[in-house]
Amino acid sequence: MAKTTILVIEDEKNIRELIKYNLQDDGYLVAEETSGDAGLRRIQKDPPDLVLLDLMLPGMDGISVCKALKQNPKTSAIPVIMVTAKSEEIDKVLGLEIGADDYITKPFSPRELLARIKAVLRRGREHLPEAKLSSGDLEVDDARHIVTLKGKAVELTSKEYDLLKALLEARGRVLSREHLLERVWGYDQSLHIETRTVDMHVGQLRKKLKNEAERLVTIKNVGYRFDPEN
Ligand code: CA
């Protein structure tokens, strides 16, 4: 799979380097620009998968860059996360006129930054029709939001559905409770929910998966995996 490219538009070298280091460490390709004008030109020439855009930039500021991107049908679908120093700007940044997809306020932790990026990328992908995920007797038709077991529909709550989808997509890899919390409940909510909640939902999901339930394996003190083989 092609790597996800993130364009970082930030004039402060230290912050840019720090962001770059953390993104590369997480497997992203990183492009950099130090001014709004240059950033905008690059996006038009070579569109990235996501833009991390500083608000205060020399010349054309982040707000003008974001507006320009969102007003152009060729670039309006590219997700933009604004980096701001002032929380008062947030309403404006996320407002319809500017149209940023999310924001993060300085100073931020690498973990917070990565969580925001993942959430925004995921939201973008949700609009695309995805292939069906299947494993054994189980099939998840994500475009139609339907789960079937041996061809019969399984009634899942939205959290159970998201959990199952995350586990199937991981194709046998172990997902930690923390990862599942963030993935299913979202970054903001996950900070206030205990990991026990994940266990409870997995328990409910198992009951509904009947003969396939034993493939949803508990990895003690870590999390869960869905065994792709029978
Ligand atoms: Ca700046």
Side-chain angles (χ1 to χ4, degrees), residues 51-87:
V51 182
L52 209 57
L53 179 60
D54 188 32
L55 189 82
M56 300 292 281
L57 290 166
M60 191 177 186
D61 66 17
I63 285 186
S64 310
V65 173
C66 190
K67 253 187 182 171
L69 286 175
K70 294 298 179 186
Q71 279 166 5
N72 181 343
K74 279 187 186 160
T75 54
S76 60
I78 300 172
V80 176
I81 299 180
M82 293 287 289
V83 182
T84 81
K86 292 178 280 182
S87 48

Side-chain angles (χ1 to χ4, degrees), residues 33-34 50 64 80 96 103 105 116 127 136 148 154 165 180 196 206:
E33 290 294 348
T34 55
L50 183 143
S64 310
V80 176
L96 280 177
Y103 68 92
T105 39
R116 296 260 171 201
H127 298 300
T148 52
V154 184
K165 190 180 154 208
L180 287 167
R196 189 161 54 86
R206 275 201 180 112

Side-chain angles (χ1 to χ4, degrees), residues 7 31-33 37-48 69 72 74-75 78:
L7 173 63
E32 304 165 73
E33 290 294 348
D37 308 74
L40 199 55
R41 277 198 301 277
R42 185 195 275 255
I43 294 163
Q44 271 143 9
K45 207 172 68 191
D46 186 15
L69 286 175
N72 181 343
K74 279 187 186 160
T75 54
I78 300 172

